[in-house]
Amino acid sequence: KADGSLTFSLLWRFNGPLRKLSGLSLAIGVAIANALEKLGAQGICLKWPNDVLLRQAEGFAKLAGILVELSSDRRGTQAIIGIGLNLKTPDGDLPQAAAGLNEALGTLPDRHDILAVLLAALAETLDVFAVDGFAGVKTDWQDHHAWQDLPVELLEEGRQVSSGICRGADMDGALLVETEAGIQRIFSGDLSLRRT
């Protein structure tokens, strides 16, 4: 249903090269988490690199997703930030557990009010990110990280390639997993993460 979700895109311009924007999707997750908590939501968590989760009795369910497309020209780098937030719990057979904001709040605010709070939080966080990069929001991200210091499996095409303890993200937004071979830095979106 159309009223069951809030989806929008935001164009944001950054000065400087693309490489300065590593960790951007994680920073956007922080902004969304902060906005939802400002609205009164509890149990908001983040999953590397671009999911917002809701903690439930039986585990975590996806509440929102983030998609970032970057392009550069002589004026700098522009990010088109796409956000999809479930306002109501989706129906149907889904590949992963999904939740709606209605589960985290007693009463669902008007969608325009939700959008206004999200945009304000995004502007605040993106201003910090433009100056300090992911380092400026790293602590906040780790405070919301669903699997901080917990055992995880790294999967490639559904097959386990590694396992260890998730240690969060480094200053570039790379995922850190402590394995028997030492700390592994993960950048690739080809790998997916699952709690063991």
Side-chain angles (χ1 to χ4, degrees), residues 19-95:
R19 61 182 162 70
K20 284 181 63 178
L21 300 185
S22 59
L24 178 58
S25 66
L26 281 69
I28 293 163
V30 167
I32 295 170
N34 289 339
L36 298 181
E37 288 171 350
K38 192 169 187 179
L39 290 166
Q42 296 183 343
I44 305 297
C45 300
L46 298 173
K47 178 187 169 197
W48 184 89
N50 53 10
D51 286 345
V52 181
L53 307 176
L54 180 64
R55 181 181 282 116
Q56 299 178 318
E58 62 277 5
F60 295 96
K62 185 171 177 176
L63 184 61
I66 300 158
L67 183 64
V68 179
E69 290 185 27
L70 300 173
S71 64
S72 289
D73 58 27
R74 55 186 167 68
R75 295 173 297 173
T77 302
Q78 42 203 7
I80 299 169
I81 299 161
I83 293 171
L85 169 66
N86 296 329
L87 299 180
K88 297 178 181 170
T89 308
D91 295 328
D93 191 19
L94 301 166

Side-chain angles (χ1 to χ4, degrees), residues 1 9 14 34 59 70 75 78 125 127 137 160 175 191:
K1 297 176 188 172
S9 294
F14 295 93
N34 289 339
L70 300 173
R75 295 173 297 173
Q78 42 203 7
T125 301
D127 281 344
V137 297
Q160 181 183 333
L175 186 72
L191 290 174

Side-chain angles (χ1 to χ4, degrees), residues 151-167:
V152 293
E153 291 178 314
L154 290 167
L155 306 173
E156 192 169 27
E157 296 175 6
R159 204 179 70 254
Q160 181 183 333
V161 290
S162 184
S163 64
I165 304 296
C166 197
R167 297 299 185 199

Side-chain angles (χ1 to χ4, degrees), residues 128-152:
V128 170
F129 185 88
V131 175
D132 299 326
F134 178 64
V137 297
K138 178 179 181 279
T139 300
D140 205 355
W141 187 84
Q142 301 226 145
D143 288 346
H144 285 95
H145 183 209
W147 295 332
Q148 186 68 31
D149 300 322
L150 294 173
V152 293

